Amino acid sequence: DGGITQSPKYLFRKEGQNVTLSCEQNLNHDAMYWYRQDPGQGLRLIYYSQIVNDFQKGDIAEGYSVSREKKESFPLTVTSAQKNPTAFYLCASSPPAGGFQPQHFGDGTRLSIL
Amino acid sequence: GQNIDQPTEMTATEGAIVQINCTYQTSGFNGLFWYQQHAGEAPTFLSYNVLDGLEEKGRFSSFLSRSKGYSYLLLKELQMKDSASYLCAVVRGTGGFKTIFGAGTRLFVKA
């Protein structure tokens, strides 16, 4: 079955450490997204990518970086510059947006600071 | 500014009907999605409105009024498994790549 796989499900980071969250999709979708979800708040867009080798900042990109070297993969790095990284991170993908297709989400990665 | 407002929590009884409202203020509106999210899980798509009016899909219906910046999700014949958060999301600009999500409404269905 096609879908989006995020790993790991739980991740712990030490102060000053960079960590990378994996997101892989086999839906053949062009667009991919990273969101952050905090308690009592809506999903906030970190980065998105419309095609391979291209990505754009979302609303809260500071302290994060991404790459899109393959259509299937869109890893997110949480850098030490992100001062409050504890959150639930969701990756999503969608077909070309000509029809405003809904986004398909992975099961998320919960990041905590040690 | 850009903002989406939804009630924080609602409680309803199994078998009943519940309406979850969403109001929004945003530039470049191009459509509105509703997603369901069970605790600790991925959001899943429920419905999409781009034009004014009602869209019906089984037990779920969604309504949009663009002039009023208002939408609602109607859930009929409530089941216990409908206990979840319901997210209202507005698509901004062309291409549909930038979507604003509301904080979600937590629905509790009681027997």
Side-chain angles (χ1 to χ4, degrees):
Chain A
D1 287 338
I4 300 179
T5 302
Q6 289 187 242
S7 62
K9 192 171 180 67
Y10 298 95
L11 187 60
F12 299 91
R13 193 191 90 169
K14 294 180 181 179
E15 295 283 351
Q17 187 180 50
N18 293 356
V19 290
T20 298
L21 284 61
S22 171
C23 178
E24 303 279 332
Q25 55 101 357
N26 61 4
L27 298 166
N28 199 32
H29 286 171
D30 287 310
M32 296 188 75
Y33 314 79
W34 273 105
Y35 292 94
R36 170 181 172 139
Q37 188 173 34
D38 295 281
Q41 296 190 41
L43 278 67
R44 291 183 290 168
L45 182 64
I46 304 173
Y47 270 97
Y48 67 98
S49 169
Q50 299 177 43
I51 56 172
V52 175
N53 293 322
D54 180 71
F55 49 83
Q56 306 294 329
K57 291 182 179 180
D59 299 314
I60 55 164
E62 185 174 351
Y64 300 96
S65 66
V66 294
S67 62
R68 186 84 188 277
E69 297 176 2
K70 298 187 300 181
K71 187 176 185 178
E72 301 79 18
S73 179
F74 192 41
L76 174 75
T77 296
V78 184
T79 74
S80 57
Q82 172 48 244
K83 297 306 178 188
N84 184 24
T86 297
F88 188 48
Y89 290 87
L90 285 161
C91 179
S93 70
S94 66
F100 292 105
Q101 299 291 325
Q103 295 178 21
H104 298 252
F105 287 85
D107 287 335
T109 293
R110 195 166 296 278
L111 175 63
S112 301
I113 299 301
L114 291 177
Chain B
Q2 303 181 91
N3 194 42
I4 297 179
D5 290 312
Q6 305 178 233
T8 303
E9 291 185 358
M10 299 182 70
T11 300
T13 304
E14 192 175 18
I17 299 173
V18 70
Q19 178 175 313
I20 301 174
N21 295 325
C22 170
T23 57
Y24 62 89
Q25 302 93 38
T26 183
S27 57
F29 176 88
N30 271 304
L32 188 146
F33 286 101
W34 283 96
Y35 290 86
Q36 180 191 61
Q37 185 180 24
H38 287 97
E41 297 183 10
T44 54
F45 167 74
L46 289 177
S47 70
Y48 174 62
N49 296 73
V50 63
L51 300 175
D52 287 358
L54 189 68
E55 295 284 339
E56 297 186 79
K57 292 180 69 174
R59 294 191 300 115
F60 297 89
S61 302
S62 58
F63 171 83
L64 176 66
S65 168
R66 296 181 64 153
S67 62
K68 295 181 179 179
Y70 168 70
S71 174
Y72 67 72
L73 179 70
L74 195 70
L75 291 76
K76 305 175 185 175
E77 301 170 14
L78 278 173
Q79 302 174 10
M80 300 298 286
K81 67 178 182 179
D82 296 329
S83 293
S85 287
Y86 291 86
L87 312 179
C88 174
V90 170
V91 179
R92 301 176 288 175
T94 58
F97 295 110
K98 285 198 168 186
T99 302
I100 309 174
F101 284 81
T105 299
R106 290 176 60 188
L107 175 65
F108 299 94
V109 179
K110 58 183 183 179

